[in-house]
Amino acid sequence: MSMTSSRPYMIRALYEWIVDNDFTPHIVVNALAGGVEVPQQYVNKEGQIVLNVAPRAVATLELGNKAISFNARFGGIPTDIYVPSHAVLGIYARENGQGMMFDSEPGGQPDPDPAAPIPPSGKQDTKRPSLRVVK
């Protein structure tokens, strides 16, 4: 018998730890994964978006087992955000970078981009997501 993913539990635990220490939780999201609903104009060239999920920055935050959902403002426009748990690449505190990046899970791969060229070897280029502290 297989177990459910530990990712949503780890996200909730780290979120609580970061907030309890008065830091600002951010999640790194694979915006190319299936089911992700984020403003695409803020997605970087690697297909990722970093979202501030601090209680003061979002409304109606739900950290569920299947997904994270909330409402936030982007450019002053209220926007509903939906991120399946498998699309969360990491969670960290903005102030010190402490947190966790997650490994890929079965079924959590990004949807292939039909416009992306396939290298001659026939394999897609797979890069591991990276986290960088910007001051």
Side-chain angles (χ1 to χ4, degrees):
M1 183 185 332
S2 66
M3 295 179 69
T4 59
S5 172
S6 63
R7 186 177 304 216
Y9 300 91
M10 297 301 293
I11 292 168
R12 285 192 294 272
L14 288 165
Y15 177 87
E16 185 176 331
W17 174 67
I18 292 167
V19 170
D20 283 354
N21 282 282
D22 294 323
F23 288 134
T24 309
H26 281 60
I27 57 172
V28 182
V29 175
N30 175 359
L32 304 176
V36 174
E37 295 176 19
V38 296
Q40 292 299 308
Q41 65 268 32
Y42 297 101
V43 174
N44 68 20
K45 62 184 175 191
E46 289 85 29
Q48 298 175 359
I49 186 169
V50 177
L51 300 169
N52 177 350
V53 290
R56 65 187 169 278
V58 301
T60 64
L61 176 66
E62 290 187 34
L63 299 170
N65 285 345
K66 295 196 183 286
I68 296 172
S69 63
F70 57 92
N71 184 280
R73 290 186 173 273
F74 289 86
I77 300 169
T79 307
D80 289 326
I81 304 297
Y82 185 84
V83 179
S85 295
H86 68 81
V88 178
L89 302 173
I91 181 170
Y92 67 96
R94 180 191 67 202
E95 293 81 0
N96 62 10
Q98 290 191 8
M100 178 183 290
M101 293 299 288
F102 300 107
D103 291 330
S104 295
E105 290 185 342
Q109 298 299 319
D111 291 339
D113 181 359
I118 297 176
S121 67
K123 295 182 180 176
Q124 294 266 347
D125 183 38
T126 56
K127 292 183 181 177
R128 185 150 175 90
S130 62
L131 182 61
R132 171 179 77 173
V133 176
V134 179
K135 294 190 180 206

